[in-house]
Amino acid sequence: MKINEPITIKGVTFKNRIMFPPMTTGYEESGVIGERSFNFYKRIAEGGCAYIVLGNVSCLPGFGLKILSEADIPNFKRLADACHAVGTKLGVQLFYREFDVETYQHIVETEGMAEGRKFMAESMKTFSDQAPAETLRHLIDKAAEAAVIAKKAGIDVIQIHGDRLNGVLLSTKLNHRSDEFGGSFENRTRFSTEMVRAIRKAVPDMIMDYKLGIRLPMENGQIRGNGGLELEEAVKYAQILEKEGIDMIHIAGANHTSNIADTIPPMGIQPYGTSMEAHKRIREVVSIPTSAVARIVTPEAMEALLNNGEADIVAMGRPLVCDPDIGNKCAEGKADEIRLCMMCNKGCTDSIMSASYIQCVLNPENGHEAERKIVPAETPKKVAVVGAGIAGLEAARVAALKGHHVEVFEKELRIGGQINIAAVPPRKEEMFRSLRYYENILPKLGVKFHMGRKADTDVLNGFDHVLVATGATCVTVKVPGYDLPHVTNAWDVLDHKAVVFGNVAVIGGGQVGAETAEYLGFIGQKVSVIEMLDMVAKTESATIRPYMMENYEKYGVKMYVKTRLEKIEPGRIICVTDTESGEERIEIPADFVVMAVGSKQHRPDLDGLKVPYTFIGDCSGETTADISRATKTAYDAANAI
Ligand SMILES: Cc1cc2nc3c(=O)[nH]c(=O)nc-3n(C[C@H](O)[C@H](O)[C@H](O)COP(=O)(O)O)c2cc1C
């Protein structure tokens, strides 16, 4: 595979073509590479990735990782040494804050992270216009100083963040300056070009990578986002970067200065390989290596890009978080054993946006690299897993890897449990990828499946330990009329067991209800969502909700918020809604009513089970429909046997 071939840049050999792109992880609480952060990157390096870039490394006090003085050298050097020990090169993405840190911190403390981010985004726009030219030049000096410190710490590559402040200054839309940093193409690129020159001069023998944030054209001819360069200008600027001594270009969608979903596209919203047109155009005019990023997902897609000559290096951001062993698996001819990312954005993007840290929902070890490791069993045991949903499958994997003999009992004839219904609404079919992994590896691990078989206690008593992963069931609200024949539930609709049409009222606008309404709208029904809170899909990701709302508009889905179901009658429902003048009773036409008011744990009758057992996944705790909890509880329980 071409993925496994080395590439030499500026005399430095990268052992293969796999890159981990810059990613703010949320692990770096006090601006240093702490233990969680160190273990995360070390694990990615050990998994066979050739080139890792640390995201947003600030050359001024204030936010994320910092590289400010010689005192920071040991911190970076420790990670650089760990990477070098396994043949991985380490880069830092230099970042220069464009907001007042004290004000930002005060807002975060008093008003929360969301307000802090709003302030940051607003400041970024005003700072770029208002910062005096000397301030911009000061930032350039600081970046060059940081590069020198990075070199002393053994860092191999300096990546210039061509977005953030650069992206705003490069933009025709966001740069409103009238001095030498605004207006013409030459002026808008001046800050960036001067920075390239300053760093080149400060560290002439270091590899310089440039993240070129581009406003990517969409299929409908429109352009995504605001910041960054438009494609024609990006092509022109790439040539300038090569002339100025940049050694490699990372071609990406404009970041931070536009819609976050443009840079970190979640499942089903943008096509795969979103920046390919930009790649083709830029590679026609430069001869330095380029790296591709965003929604590349599978090793076959990586290989095709490399083989087609469309990239020299392929960056896998979320895919490496989901499976850090992509490099090793490709090298060992086991690419089919890669755990493929679903691009759900829940454990990564959503996590850092809510001030937490990256914890992939499918990879329980991610973010917990030091404490979650599969420990080989002292004595192999016979382990039964009841239920082949995502928790059961993960438990079977971990138990088998420990050396146990594992048998899975599933009452249905298909694996996947709730994934089979969660993947049905628009944009979500990529969730099926989560099952492909288990389908490929569990047979190799010798896991035996009993499909269409409900395990009884007599059978289970023949095992040494039982892991119970029987999931959850959908609940209903018992208002008058709840048992009428036109009333069903979201699970049955998404499982195609229940057929509904005409005016359909979906009761509950949480995640499941909101997605079921979207699905019903998509297949042409007239849908109303009834939600007691003030918002439908309140907990949905900021990278996804706007698209859901676009679909609601397209399909004419009506939302009734602060509204409670009171009664169901043939052809209509009666609800009570909160208005400014108090409660009001309203009538909504409903040929069918779909309950989406939540689910509760489903535990089988285990009377008579004489061997030790553990509940995992949805049936194990208070919360249900939570993949992250499912995989983590499964991993921990199986690892403890
Ligand atoms: C949680 C998260 C944090 C990110 N932080 C940064 C960052 O600090 N700097 C940056 O340039 N890009 C950042 N990105 C964008 C990634 O580098 C990458 O372009 C994006 O994830 C798309 O690639 P993928 O589909 O392989 O994940 C981030 C992405 C994610 C998911």
Side-chain angles (χ1 to χ4, degrees):
M1 284 174 101
K2 204 164 165 69
I3 295 173
N4 303 322
E5 287 178 12
I7 179 170
T8 301
I9 302 171
K10 209 176 164 75
V12 175
T13 301
F14 294 72
K15 65 178 173 182
N16 61 38
R17 307 303 181 97
I18 303 169
M19 166 180 178
F20 183 66
M23 216 181 243
T24 302
T25 59
Y27 303 143
E28 297 88 12
E29 280 155 32
S30 50
V32 295
I33 305 167
E35 284 312 295
R36 194 189 293 279
S37 182
F38 175 79
N39 288 313
F40 167 73
Y41 287 112
K42 181 167 164 275
R43 180 70 186 82
I44 289 187
E46 287 168 351
C49 171
Y51 169 35
I52 293 174
V53 180
L54 301 178
N56 280 354
V57 180
S58 182
C59 52
L60 287 165
F63 179 78
L65 275 174
K66 288 171 204 66
I67 189 153
L68 305 176
S69 73
E70 305 240 329
D72 294 317
I73 290 176
N75 192 237
F76 283 87
K77 187 163 185 317
R78 179 177 175 228
L79 181 59
D81 289 347
C83 288
H84 295 158
V86 290
T88 302
K89 305 296 175 214
L90 185 63
V92 289
Q93 178 186 56
L94 288 187
F95 157 77
Y96 4 89
R97 64 161 164 76
E98 9 13 31
F99 53 91
D100 177 60
V101 177
E102 275 175 20
T103 314
Y104 165 77
Q105 274 163 353
H106 178 73
I107 293 176
V108 170
E109 274 158 29
T110 54
E111 297 172 52
M113 195 66 188
E115 287 306 309
R117 287 196 178 275
K118 234 190 258 171
F119 165 79
M120 217 163 72
E122 282 310 308
S123 302
M124 191 154 64
K125 289 180 204 153
T126 49
F127 179 89
S128 56
D129 282 342
Q130 291 165 5
E134 310 83 76
T135 305
L136 294 183
R137 294 220 154 87
H138 174 66
L139 291 182
I140 291 171
D141 292 344
K142 295 309 281 182
E145 278 171 29
V148 173
I149 300 168
K151 183 173 155 41
K152 289 184 185 163
I155 300 290
D156 305 281
V157 183
I158 299 294
Q159 185 186 73
I160 296 193
H161 199 331
D163 221 310
R164 303 291 312 206
L165 179 56
N166 258 324
V168 180
L169 289 169
L170 292 169
S171 162
T172 45
K173 276 189 142 186
L174 298 178
N175 181 336
H176 310 107
R177 297 180 75 103
S178 53
D179 63 356
E180 75 255 48
F181 291 106
S184 66
F185 172 76
E186 195 190 349
N187 283 355
R188 279 182 284 114
T189 55
R190 189 179 305 282
F191 175 72
S192 168
T193 308
E194 285 191 9
M195 182 172 291
V196 171
R197 283 183 193 151
I199 295 175
R200 184 72 297 164
K201 196 167 154 215
V203 286
D205 49 354
M206 262 183 113
I207 302 174
M208 278 179 76
D209 187 0
Y210 190 100
K211 174 166 174 167
L212 194 52
I214 305 172
R215 295 184 63 211
L216 296 170
M218 292 196 283
E219 304 68 49
N220 61 10
Q222 286 177 348
I223 291 192
R224 293 194 173 102
N226 296 316
L229 287 165
E230 280 169 37
L231 184 53
E232 290 313 316
E233 288 195 335
V235 172
K236 200 163 129 191
Y237 195 50
Q239 289 171 282
I240 296 172
L241 289 174
E242 180 169 21
K243 239 192 267 155
E244 293 291 345
I246 286 291
D247 304 296
M248 58 201 292
I249 301 180
H250 184 54
I251 300 174
N255 183 12
H256 297 288
T257 49
S258 61
N259 178 356
I260 192 145
D262 288 341
T263 310
I264 315 175
M267 58 166 81
I269 283 176
Q270 288 182 25
Y272 293 112
T274 48
S275 55
M276 284 331 296
E277 193 192 337
H279 263 270
K280 287 181 185 160
R281 293 288 314 282
I282 289 171
R283 285 172 69 83
E284 279 167 14
V285 298
V286 299
S287 54
I288 47 176
T290 66
S291 54
V293 71
R295 268 175 79 59
I296 296 168
V297 189
T298 65
E300 291 80 7
M302 289 172 77
E303 186 67 10
L305 280 180
L306 296 167
N307 215 47
N308 292 349
E310 285 156 358
D312 300 289
I313 292 173
V314 183
M316 307 290 266
R318 292 164 293 176
L320 273 168
V321 173
C322 189
D323 188 341
D325 290 323
I326 294 177
N328 289 345
K329 287 179 182 172
C330 287
E332 290 162 13
K334 292 180 184 165
D336 61 327
E337 293 184 16
I338 293 171
R339 189 199 308 250
L340 298 174
C341 167
M342 305 187 283
M343 308 246 133
C344 67
N345 271 2
K346 304 274 182 226
C348 51
T349 315
D350 290 0
S351 269
I352 59 159
M353 286 180 73
S354 56
S356 182
Y357 55 86
I358 300 183
Q359 289 187 76
C360 175
V361 300
L362 291 180
N363 175 6
E365 289 175 4
N366 169 234
H368 303 273
E369 282 79 4
E371 63 274 17
R372 276 207 181 101
K373 283 189 186 358
I374 296 175
V375 188
E378 277 172 23
T379 326
K381 288 184 178 166
K382 281 183 76 183
V383 176
V385 177
V386 183
I390 206 91
L393 296 170
E394 176 63 5
R397 179 187 81 92
V398 174
L401 279 172
K402 284 174 71 74
H404 295 310
H405 166 84
V406 184
E407 295 186 32
V408 178
F409 295 84
E410 167 55 54
K411 69 176 172 18
E412 307 225 1
L413 287 171
R414 62 181 181 185
I415 63 161
Q418 284 177 60
I419 296 286
N420 293 298
I421 55 174
V424 170
R427 303 173 280 96
K428 291 191 67 197
E429 70 274 11
E430 291 183 42
M431 287 188 85
F432 280 123
R433 271 203 297 272
S434 62
L435 301 182
R436 302 293 91 90
Y437 171 60
Y438 296 109
E439 283 169 351
N440 288 347
I441 62 149
L442 293 184
K444 288 193 193 175
L445 292 173
V447 173
K448 198 166 160 194
F449 279 83
H450 303 274
M451 302 304 290
R453 182 147 167 220
K454 231 171 159 173
D456 54 45
T457 44
D458 284 350
V459 173
L460 295 177
N461 280 332
F463 289 82
D464 299 312
H465 197 110
V466 180
L467 293 166
V468 185
T470 44
T473 46
C474 196
V475 299
T476 193
V477 267
K478 293 195 171 174
V479 295
Y482 84 96
D483 50 356
L484 287 169
H486 68 294
V487 182
T488 181
N489 67 62
W491 288 30
D492 284 351
V493 167
L494 296 175
D495 208 8
H496 308 290
K497 286 181 189 156
V499 170
V500 299
F501 43 82
N503 290 309
V504 184
V506 175
I507 312 302
Q511 183 84 18
V512 175
E515 288 177 355
T516 306
E518 192 182 2
Y519 163 70
L520 290 168
F522 174 68
I523 60 166
Q525 314 307 340
K526 294 189 206 89
V527 187
S528 306
V529 191
I530 317 304
E531 169 55 45
M532 285 165 67
L533 299 179
D534 58 352
M535 200 176 176
V536 168
K538 199 164 185 167
T539 56
E540 185 53 281
S541 163
T543 57
I544 295 173
R545 197 173 181 280
Y547 297 92
M548 179 185 260
M549 291 300 115
E550 245 176 50
N551 276 346
Y552 271 32
E553 197 156 333
K554 188 152 91 195
Y555 309 137
V557 175
K558 290 190 186 136
M559 289 180 275
Y560 294 86
V561 294
K562 295 191 192 166
T563 301
R564 168 171 54 83
L565 174 69
E566 193 177 64
K567 192 166 29 159
I568 303 172
E569 294 176 351
R572 64 176 195 166
I573 55 173
I574 311 295
C575 297
V576 177
T577 191
D578 267 358
T579 66
E580 274 175 16
S581 50
E583 286 194 341
E584 197 182 294
R585 200 149 267 108
I586 55 171
E587 184 184 313
I588 299 167
D591 301 308
F592 287 91
V593 177
V594 177
M595 292 288 182
V597 289
S599 54
K600 64 168 199 278
Q601 55 173 230
H602 169 67
R603 290 188 170 182
D605 178 6
L606 294 175
D607 277 358
L609 189 61
K610 297 189 185 87
V611 296
Y613 61 89
T614 321
F615 290 109
I616 56 174
D618 273 6
C619 71
S620 67
E622 288 305 307
T623 58
T624 51
D626 179 344
I627 300 187
S628 186
R629 215 182 139 271
T631 54
K632 288 178 177 62
T633 53
Y635 184 106
D636 291 342
N639 208 12
I641 298 172

